[in-house]
Structure formats: structure tokens, C-alpha cells
Amino acid sequence: MEELASLFHGFGVVLAPFNLVLMMVGITLGVLIGVLPGLGGANGVAILLPLTFAMPPASAIIMLSCIYWGALFGGAITSILFNIPGEPWSVATTFDGHPMAQQGRAGEALAGAFTSSFIGAFFAVVLITFLAPLIAGFALRFGPPEFFAVQFLTFCSFVGMGRGSAFKTIAAMMLGFALAAVGLDTVTGQLRMTFGTTELLRGFDFLIAVIGLFGIGEILLSMEEGLSFKGGQARLNATVVFETWKKLPRYWATFVRGALIGCWMGITPGGATPASFMSYGIAKRMSKDGAKFGKGQLEGVIAPETAAHAAGTSALLPMITLGIPGSPTAAVLLGGLLIWGLQPGPLLFVEQKDFVWGLIASMYLGNIAGLIVVLTCVPLFAAILRIPFSVIAPVIVVICAVGAFTVHNAVFDVYLMLVFGVLGYIFKKLDYPLSPLVLALVLGDMAESAFRQSMLMSGGSLSIFWSNWLVASIIALGLALLLWPVVAWLVGAVRRTQQPAAST
Amino acid sequence: MKRFLLRSGISAGVFAAVAMLAAATTPAAAWEPTRQVTIIVPAGTGGGADQMARFIQGVVSKHNLMSRPLVVINKAGAAGAEGFLEVKGNKGDPHTLIITLSNLFTTPLSSGVPFNWKDLTPVAMLALDEFVLWVNNDAPYKTAKDYLTAVKNGQPGEFKMGGTGSKQEDQIITVALEKVTGKKFTYVPYKGGGEVAVQLVGNHINSSVNNPIEAVAHWRGGKLRPLCVFDEKRMPYKDKMTETMSWNDIPTCHESGVDVDYLMLRGMFMPAGVKQEQVDYYIDLFKKVRATPEWADYMEKGAYNQSFMTGKEYRDWLEKAEKRHYELMKEAGFLAKSN
């Protein structure tokens, strides 16, 4: 119960009026940052970092981490309303969130997304409060083979997601891998597929591709389909939040799975984006309504949002205890710790009690405050869809362009975004799925590095992937998920042959 | 873009005329920035160079050292080539600075991307970053000699050295160590130094050459052991970091009979074609930054080598460092075909 005493001490730190104000400022800024695609949590925190210089470290981390919570909440808003993921981890939220908005259920989707974000985060914070030192050690078991295994598992849980042709899914995924390979190869230090151009040196950023494929592609489609938003005529009421809450308890299993996947991916550290994809993939397989996923299932919003927020929160744990950032934003916060003169690591819990427990307490309060802020705004957000398309579409295009520019401060990326927009439109027209492309683009690079690091370590032998129980069991789980359709089909086939035999 | 250049050309002309007038009336009004100044970081957010740039930004704004805002942006593409090429292209722009690490030398040599430090105007060396040979605290090796003897007696490739990136500073040091032992390491490249340190704590690799700041937390936590520092002199910091040791207690590699030393540049550059008075303004600015108590504290936390150089001294250092990198990388076979 020592943790509880420390936690209450932490609450004392956060509840100082100055810190409370900073918390609210942080949440509001964070939601804005989350809404703007491209200006991710990492950029937002990095820009504001020097401003926190004159503050005590505890106040500074409270404000910056609240920006992060705000961004985690805010990412869902544009995903659901306009099919534009405000943050990488809300890509999976678009799959069902946007169809829901098109059916006039934007309020329900938003309320569901925010509530599940909160539940995911809350689960992770409780975990951090009581099990931090225990779990921190677990992250140390992860070397390159284990990382590859986790990424392999993410791919496997997601394969078979695309409806329709398996060939089209594979084609989209391969295109994603090819795009991910452009730029500098970390393992050999060689440039790949840049064809001597300066612009291609930095490779294809996942965010720019996503803004183009989803945002611009969606605008192009809407233009073709009659210059209006579907779902704009839905009735609006203030009680939508409570109506949604009534539906949520029946999805308890999805919440638990999402939170577990999220915490696991945040700690190991796989990150919030893969966590949201993995959670969506697994929810689709496990749900009895799996076939309806992608057409506007509330469960398809809950799964990725719970996991993303749980991962985003638990990513701070390896940062504090080990100094390894579990996400890009955590990496910037880590830089902040050093600038404030704090040394992350196991001793932080002993030497900087105010700081650590203030941070943990701000996770509780920041998330509660964030939830209240965003939930009260749900009808407001949903009303945006009522603005005429001809007014809002140019605004969206401008926001997308600004977002694409912000990622690397490069004008070339704005053109690139437009190209991706056309590509997204063509993909939709030809009925190619976008999600495998996006998944390959975000994970391809990481998976490749981890695989090749493993190969370097083992001298080229694949046996490194079953050299210990941890990596072997993750790989086995991945293979099981990958082969599940085949296994299910085989079992079915065996039954079918047995049944006639039994009946005669 | 053309119009913009034209306009800035005119305004520069007007400015020059005004400046001349001013110079005629008042003696030597020093140059000052006329708009926002940007520090480009040719590396990702959260790394050593990024931290230093943002730290400087914080110190400058806290102590009001500049009349115009200072912003930091990251241009990390292709091991920093993106950032260097941008500064190379901004000829004559006195409002752009770039903070460099060793990729100033290694990136063009290994990737063949066309730039060289001579395409930039050197401003000041802010500090040098140290490298330390680390092993896991559970490993039996107490000195650099113990460890390298074990490497020598092992199979080629038996010992795994983790490092940041490929054909960059960490791998260059590894190759230098291989020359001493005559046995190959298996070099495993990671994306960042913090990750390497954690991999060493988790025993996934046998050793690393992490910068002090990347590994200090694990050293203090009793997980890692420093064997030697790759510098000619010991680090000067005498405050105890663990129960028994300070940075100063770590022997140099030379003391342990390993003749390898390597320091990484943390320096500032401007685009080519800027005026001396503009360079002088920033030299003066960095002198003020270095005089703050925050800077002293930051240097100690990261156990930096606090060398500060400007002008000819700095140029000579760069000249020598470039030559050294060329030789080391040529020997290791890291040069791109075009070099």
C-alpha cells in the first residue's frame, strides 16, 4: 500500500492550482494538436518543450503529458467525421468510425471512441501505479527477435482483414512494403530507391501517405458522389453520450482485450499504432459480428481506441523506469527529462518522488479532465457534418496540406499528399483495400530492421525465432492466427466428410 | 520562390544600405537577426543533437539572449543528409543554423550524398561528446583489457557490439577495436543510443560504445559497467555517480592498453556566403549560452568534453577530423562507390 500513499502525495502535487491550470491548458492544446493531422503529439510536445524550461519539472511534465493525452483523444475526431486520421494510431478508428458517421451515428461513434480511450488509459494507469517495477523488467527481455515476433503477430492478426480478393490485399501490402523501403537503410547505411533525388531521401512518411490516401481520397470520392456529406442530416441530441454508454457494457470482452493488447504493446515497446491495428484485427476475428466490421460497428471503434490509448499511456512506463521511449512522443518527453536535469531510470522513483508520482497522478486526473472536455463537445463535433460540403471541403484540404507540410517542414510532401490522394481514390474505385498498404508502410520498416538485426545476431539462422520460450510463443501465436482460416476450413472439411460417413 | 528570393534580395539591399548609413553615423552597429532564427537538427527528435538544440532554445528564451525567436526543426532524412542539403542550399541566409554530430563527416562518405562541411560556414564547436565502452554488470570483465582479451580468444563474430546506425561513429569505433583485437565483432545496428543501452542491460548484446548520457541511468542503477573512455584524458567530473565511482574514475582506453580514441562533434554551422559579423553574432550568443549555470549543469549531466573552438582553430579541427574519418572509413570499407 506504499503505492497508494505515494499516489495521494502525487494527487497533492497535481491539485496545486498552478498545475491544475497547466493540466487544462495541456488537454485543450492536445485535443487541437490531435485534430490537426500531421501535427502529431511528438511535434506538439517538442515545440512546447523549451517553454517549460522555467517551470518546476513536475509542472512541466504534467502539462506536456496532458498534451499527449489530449492528442490521443483528439485523433479520433477527424477520423470519424472525415475519414482523416488525425494521428497514426487513429487509422484503425476510421474503418468503422467513418461508416458510422455516414449512417448518421457520428455522435455515437465519437462518444464510444472517447469512452474507450479513457477506459484503455485508465487500465494502463492502474497497471503503472501498482506494477511498474515488476513490468519494467519484462521489457528488457525484448531483443530484435522478440520485436520481430511482435510485428509478425501484428501482421498475422491483420491478414485476412480485407474483404474481397486475397490477391488485392497482398498487392496492397506489397506496395506498402515497397514504399516503406525507400530512403536510408539502417542496417547497411545505404540509400535505397531514391533515384538520386533529394526529396526521396527521407522516404515516404506514413503520416503523409495516410493524410493523402484517406483525407484527400475521401474528398475526391465525396465530390463524385454529389458534393455532400452522408450522415449530415442525422438528428442531434445531447443525450447521445448516455445512450452510447448503455450499449457499451455488452462489449466488455473487447475492452479487456483492447486494454491488454495496448498495455502489452506499450510496454514492450511496440507503440500505439500497431496496438490499434492488432486490437482491431483480433476484435474482428473474435466478434460474432466479425463479418459486419468495416460497415459501421461500434465494436470496431472501441477495439482500436482502447488499445491505442492503453498503449500510449503504458508507453510512458518504460520511459520512466528504463529510459526507453515506447512511442515517438515519449522519446521527446525523455529528452525533456534530461533537459530538466532529471535522469530517467530505476532511481527516478527513489530520487524524484514528486515528479514520478505527480506524473502518475496527472495520468488519472488528466484523463478524467480530458474525457469530460471531449464528451461535452460531442454534439458540437457531430454538428460539423451539417456545414455544407462546399464550405468544409476546402477547409479540410487546407488542413490536410498544412498537416502534410508540418511533418517534415517540406513543400514536396504537400504534392506527395495529393499524389497519395489520387492513389487512394483509385484504390477505392478498383476496390483495393487501403488498410494493408497502411499497415505495411507503418510496420514494414520496423519489421525489416528487427528481422535483419536478428539475422545478424544468429549468423543467418532462422532458429533464433524459436530460441527461447518468449519469442517462440509469440511466433507460434502469430502462425496460429495466420493459418486460422486454413485450419477452420480444414476442420470444417473433415467434419463434412465425417458427417456423411456417420449418417450412412 | 523566385519572387521570394527577389524580394529578400531587395530587402537585403535596403538593409545593407541602411546598415552602411548606420555605420557611417554610429561606429560599428553590430549585426542582429531581423527575423526568426531556425536551428536545423539533422537527426530525429529526442536524440543528443536534438536535446542540445532544444536546450539552447530554452536557455536563450529564459535569459532573453536574442531579440528574435529561435525555433528548432528536425530534418533527419537519410542519416541527416536532408538537413545538410537544405543548409547547403540556403546560401547567404544568416537566419539558419545547423547543429551537427559526426554524420557531418560519415553521411556523405558512406552514402555518397553530395555535401561537405566546406559547403557550410563553421560557427563554433559547442562541446565534444565522449564515448565509453560498456558491458553488462553481470559480465565477468572488470577492465577493457579483460574484455578485449576475451574477444581475442573467442570465435570471430562471437561477441556482439550494439550501436546507433550503420557506418556511423559507433561502427567506426567498433572497427577500430577490431584492429586492436584482430577478431571481428558482430555489429548490430539500432535506431537510437537509448535503445542500444537497454539492449545491453537485457543481455541481447555483449557491449556498446554509448555516449555517457545514454547509459548513465543504467550505470547508476547497477546494470551496466563502464570499462574505458575513448579520449586522451579522463573525464573531469568528480561527483560520485554510483556508490564508488565518478566519471573521473573511468580509465581512458589508452591507460588500459587500447589505443583508440574518438570524440563526437557537437558544433554549429551556418550556410555558406554569410558575413563575418553575422558569424560573430552567433559566436557571441553561444558564449553567453555557455556562461549560464544551466549549461554547466547540462554539460556535467552528460559528461561532455567542454572544448569550445571558433574561427581558424575550429576549421583546423574540422579539417583533421574529416581526414581521420575518411581514413577510418576507407580502411573499414565503408566508403560509397562515388568517393
Side-chain angles (χ1 to χ4, degrees):
Chain A
M1 284 303 99
E2 192 193 329
E3 287 91 355
L4 272 184
S6 312
L7 184 61
F8 281 112
H9 173 68
F11 278 122
V13 174
V14 180
L15 288 172
F18 178 59
N19 290 346
L20 271 182
V21 170
L22 287 178
M23 194 172 88
M24 293 313 285
V25 170
I27 291 281
T28 318
L29 274 175
V31 173
L32 280 177
I33 286 168
V35 168
L36 293 172
L39 188 66
N43 283 339
V45 173
I47 291 167
L48 292 167
L49 189 58
L51 290 185
T52 61
F53 219 65
M55 299 176 190
S59 306
I61 191 92
I62 287 170
M63 184 171 106
L64 292 181
S65 59
C66 281
I67 291 179
Y68 185 38
W69 314 139
L72 281 166
F73 277 118
I77 299 171
T78 42
S79 311
I80 290 170
L81 296 183
F82 305 119
N83 205 26
I84 305 168
E87 298 288 334
W89 52 76
S90 31
V91 172
T93 312
T94 63
F95 299 157
D96 277 278
H98 188 59
M100 282 180 78
Q102 287 183 326
Q103 293 157 15
R105 290 156 66 207
E108 187 187 336
L110 286 169
F114 294 147
T115 314
S116 22
S117 291
F118 174 76
I119 291 173
F122 202 78
F123 191 91
V125 180
V126 172
L127 202 76
I128 289 181
T129 312
F130 295 102
L131 298 174
L134 207 71
I135 293 167
F138 184 67
L140 288 174
R141 308 184 75 105
F142 276 70
E146 287 80 8
F147 280 121
F148 175 74
V150 168
Q151 271 129 18
F152 180 73
L153 179 63
T154 313
F155 275 111
C156 292
S157 65
F158 210 74
V159 162
M161 281 273 321
R163 288 151 285 152
S165 156
F167 168 75
K168 285 181 174 173
T169 306
I170 290 170
M173 197 176 261
M174 290 304 138
L175 184 63
F177 281 130
L179 291 175
V182 176
L184 189 89
D185 170 30
T186 353
V187 177
T188 60
Q190 297 297 313
L191 290 171
R192 292 192 298 200
M193 292 197 279
T194 58
F195 306 106
T197 53
T198 321
E199 278 81 9
L200 289 180
L201 282 180
R202 70 181 95 85
F204 290 101
D205 195 281
F206 165 72
L207 270 170
I208 291 153
V210 162
I211 295 171
L213 289 170
F214 287 83
I216 302 293
E218 187 68 22
I219 296 268
L220 291 175
L221 274 180
S222 309
M223 275 161 62
E224 190 184 49
E225 288 164 5
L227 296 177
S228 68
F229 288 119
K230 289 181 202 156
Q233 297 317 311
R235 75 198 164 85
L236 290 179
N237 61 24
T239 56
V240 62
V241 173
F242 301 103
E243 283 166 22
T244 311
W245 279 0
K246 270 189 223 150
K247 293 187 194 164
L248 291 179
R250 80 178 77 136
Y251 301 119
W252 64 272
T254 312
F255 278 115
V256 172
R257 272 197 306 267
L260 287 175
I261 292 171
C263 289
W264 160 269
M265 294 295 277
I267 290 165
T268 51
T273 313
S276 63
F277 279 106
M278 194 193 279
S279 174
Y280 184 85
I282 289 182
K284 187 182 160 157
R285 273 160 199 276
M286 301 290 214
S287 167
K288 53 183 187 300
D289 298 324
K292 290 190 206 148
F293 267 55
K295 293 172 192 156
Q297 279 293 103
L298 185 58
E299 209 180 342
V301 174
I302 294 172
E305 282 292 316
T306 313
H309 221 134
T313 309
S314 52
L316 292 183
L317 179 66
M319 180 194 92
I320 304 172
T321 51
L322 296 171
I324 8 169
S327 72
T329 314
V332 180
L333 287 175
L334 184 70
L337 290 189
L338 299 168
I339 287 179
W340 300 319
L342 299 176
Q343 204 52 256
L347 296 177
L348 201 61
F349 273 87
V350 186
E351 294 173 354
Q352 299 286 344
K353 271 192 175 336
D354 264 16
F355 175 83
V356 171
W357 290 101
L359 172 63
I360 293 177
S362 84
M363 292 180 180
Y364 283 97
L365 293 175
N367 274 299
I368 293 171
L371 184 72
I372 294 169
V373 169
V374 288
L375 277 184
T376 47
C377 294
V378 163
L380 194 72
F381 293 135
I384 296 176
L385 284 181
R386 294 196 157 185
I387 303 173
F389 182 81
S390 51
V391 174
I392 201 87
V395 176
I396 295 176
V397 175
V398 170
I399 290 178
C400 285
V402 172
F405 178 79
T406 338
V407 179
H408 292 299
N409 297 295
V411 179
F412 176 76
D413 288 346
V414 180
Y415 298 119
L416 201 60
M417 171 201 80
L418 292 175
V419 173
F420 274 112
V422 174
L423 190 71
Y425 174 77
I426 297 173
F427 262 55
K428 288 238 175 86
K429 280 281 144 189
L430 298 179
D431 203 25
Y432 276 83
L434 282 176
S435 40
L437 190 162
V438 170
L439 185 71
L441 192 55
V442 68
L443 284 188
D445 193 30
M446 285 192 258
E448 190 207 339
S449 302
F451 182 76
R452 289 171 62 196
Q453 285 165 351
S454 314
M455 288 298 101
L456 277 174
M457 294 174 87
S458 69
S461 162
L462 283 174
S463 63
I464 192 165
F465 293 119
W466 45 89
S467 56
N468 64 54
W469 65 268
L470 180 64
V471 62
S473 45
I474 305 174
I475 288 275
L477 195 62
L479 285 173
L481 280 171
L482 183 69
L483 298 176
W484 187 255
V486 183
V487 174
W489 179 81
L490 274 180
V491 169
V494 168
R495 272 199 193 140
R496 271 194 298 280
T497 53
Q498 271 176 350
Q499 268 166 355
S503 63
T504 51
Chain B
M1 194 63 210
K2 212 169 224 164
R3 182 179 297 166
F4 172 70
L5 279 180
L6 199 66
R7 203 173 49 205
S8 67
I10 291 171
S11 67
V14 171
F15 180 75
V18 171
M20 259 191 297
L21 252 170
T25 49
T26 55
W31 181 85
E32 276 208 39
T34 49
R35 56 185 171 88
Q36 167 183 305
V37 173
T38 307
I39 300 182
I40 293 178
V41 179
T45 41
D50 183 58
Q51 271 172 35
M52 191 176 278
R54 291 185 197 279
F55 179 81
I56 291 172
Q57 184 188 10
V59 170
V60 166
S61 71
K62 187 176 175 186
H63 293 274
N64 266 328
L65 299 180
M66 245 168 90
S67 55
R68 303 282 160 172
L70 182 66
V71 297
V72 175
I73 58 174
N74 302 78
K75 297 253 175 195
E82 189 195 350
F84 289 115
L85 289 175
E86 169 151 337
V87 177
K88 185 183 169 184
N90 282 5
K91 248 184 205 140
D93 175 7
H95 297 101
T96 303
L97 293 165
I98 186 164
I99 185 165
T100 69
L101 37 155
S102 281
N103 63 357
L104 174 68
F105 307 117
T106 56
T107 300
L109 288 172
S110 69
S111 68
V113 177
F115 72 84
N116 183 283
W117 68 269
K118 285 169 188 146
D119 299 329
L120 313 171
T121 307
V123 178
M125 172 193 284
L126 299 177
L128 291 167
D129 212 343
E130 303 277 4
F131 289 81
V132 174
L133 180 63
W134 301 91
V135 292
N136 191 297
N137 206 23
D138 301 332
Y141 322 109
K142 301 288 178 210
T143 64
K145 206 167 187 178
D146 287 355
Y147 179 59
L148 293 175
T149 310
V151 174
K152 202 180 248 170
N153 297 334
Q155 296 295 315
E158 182 185 334
F159 285 84
K160 298 184 196 92
M161 176 74 87
T164 309
S166 184
K167 300 181 184 169
Q168 294 176 21
E169 55 280 355
D170 287 8
Q171 198 172 6
I172 290 176
I173 299 173
T174 307
V175 170
L177 286 176
E178 283 169 355
K179 264 178 35 196
V180 174
T181 58
K183 281 274 161 52
K184 282 255 172 227
F185 283 96
T186 295
Y187 179 79
V188 187
Y190 292 89
K191 287 236 161 81
E195 197 185 343
V196 175
V198 173
Q199 290 285 312
L200 185 57
V201 175
N203 266 320
H204 301 284
I205 48 179
N206 302 96
S207 56
S208 78
V209 291
N210 275 113
N211 300 128
I213 203 159
E214 293 166 347
V216 60
H218 307 292
W219 178 31
R220 298 188 55 211
K223 303 287 186 201
L224 295 185
R225 179 185 305 145
L227 295 182
C228 68
V229 57
F230 295 96
D231 197 351
E232 284 163 355
K233 286 192 307 241
R234 290 189 179 202
M235 291 176 273
Y237 308 101
K238 292 200 169 127
D239 282 353
K240 288 266 180 279
M241 298 305 288
T242 65
E243 301 266 305
T244 51
M245 278 180 90
S246 69
W247 287 114
N248 188 250
D249 293 324
I250 303 172
T252 68
C253 295
H254 294 287
E255 285 176 50
S256 318
V258 182
D259 281 330
V260 178
D261 57 77
Y262 188 92
L263 287 159
M264 177 151 73
L265 172 65
R266 301 280 184 202
M268 281 286 183
F269 290 79
M270 289 172 77
V274 292
K275 297 196 193 76
Q276 187 55 43
E277 54 172 343
Q278 293 164 341
V279 177
D280 289 342
Y281 171 82
Y282 291 109
I283 291 178
D284 187 50
L285 176 72
F286 295 130
K287 279 188 182 151
K288 284 182 201 152
V289 170
R290 283 172 50 90
T292 60
E294 288 91 348
W295 179 268
D297 194 44
Y298 180 66
M299 286 289 110
E300 182 162 1
K301 283 259 155 54
Y304 285 95
N305 177 323
Q306 296 198 33
S307 306
F308 182 74
M309 291 180 193
T310 57
K312 182 162 178 336
E313 189 190 12
Y314 186 24
R315 273 174 192 283
D316 290 346
W317 188 92
L318 289 165
E319 193 94 44
K320 245 173 57 194
E322 184 190 19
K323 213 183 223 164
R324 179 139 186 259
H325 278 93
Y326 181 80
E327 278 158 14
L328 285 169
M329 290 178 70
K330 189 174 172 188
E331 240 171 288
F334 290 168
L335 293 184
K337 285 193 189 80
S338 54
N339 281 297

